[in-house]
Amino acid sequence: MTKEFDRRIGRHAIMYAFAEEEEEISLTNDLKRMDWLYGKGKVGSMELQKIVAAIETSAKRLGLVNPDIYREMHALYHAIIEALHGVTRGQVELGGLLRTAGLRFAIVRGRPFKNGDEGEWIAVAVYGTIGAPVRGFEHEAVGLGINHI
């Protein structure tokens, strides 16, 4: 009997962003079996554009998006901004409000619907801390963005 996989792309992205090394193995094995692409990284900054650029650069380097195809970059950008809305509580701003973020991010790309004609989707999950640029004056935050390609 073939195992039926949980195809919730956002859930997979969040779990992957949260995962420590020992937890990653089973998560990535499931993603591989579904033929989904995935990657993760870390970024910290008071400048939002640096966070967006770090996630975009990582997605390109890992082969999760083709930088020459507009719809792929457009979908990634919107998923990133949506995820950052969650982290910044709707005010997508950092340095101008005297706050900084230290984040782990995960990017997952795949076909989350049983009907393959629904196409590919991309999810960006972001987890970490946000707060005043003073150690100990931050709190945890999480964000998730999902967009169709």
Side-chain angles (χ1 to χ4, degrees):
M1 183 162 88
T2 305
K3 178 182 176 185
E4 181 64 32
F5 289 103
D6 177 355
R7 302 189 73 81
R8 293 176 289 178
I9 196 166
R11 182 180 188 282
H12 281 288
I14 290 170
M15 297 299 289
Y16 189 37
F18 284 162
E20 301 297 335
E21 281 185 49
E22 59 276 0
E23 300 166 316
E24 277 187 35
I25 295 169
S26 76
L27 287 169
T28 57
N29 283 340
D30 284 350
L31 294 172
K32 286 176 189 173
R33 279 185 231 137
M34 290 188 290
D35 290 324
W36 287 8
L37 302 175
Y38 57 90
K40 67 190 314 187
K42 295 179 182 181
V43 61
S45 182
M46 284 183 74
E47 297 178 44
L48 199 65
Q49 64 267 28
K50 287 185 179 180
I51 293 172
V52 173
I55 297 171
E56 282 185 350
T57 299
S58 183
K60 291 177 199 175
R61 284 189 180 145
L62 294 168
L64 303 178
V65 292
N66 181 337
D68 297 326
I69 298 178
Y70 172 75
R71 65 183 168 81
E72 292 192 13
M73 294 305 299
H74 187 77
L76 174 64
Y77 175 78
H78 281 284
I80 293 169
I81 296 302
E82 185 177 348
L84 292 175
H85 265 88
V87 169
T88 60
R89 297 181 176 173
Q91 297 174 324
V92 186
E93 176 65 43
L94 291 174
L97 297 175
L98 294 177
R99 56 187 183 173
T100 189
L103 306 168
R104 298 187 327 189
F105 61 87
I107 308 161
V108 178
R109 176 180 176 163
R111 294 180 181 273
F113 297 99
K114 284 185 179 182
N115 181 349
D117 291 339
E118 296 290 348
E120 287 187 293
W121 291 68
I122 194 159
V124 175
V126 184
Y127 167 72
T129 59
I130 185 169
V134 178
R135 190 153 190 81
F137 283 68
E138 68 271 338
H139 59 83
E140 290 176 289
V142 65
L144 173 66
I146 303 172
N147 207 339
H148 58 88
I149 299 176

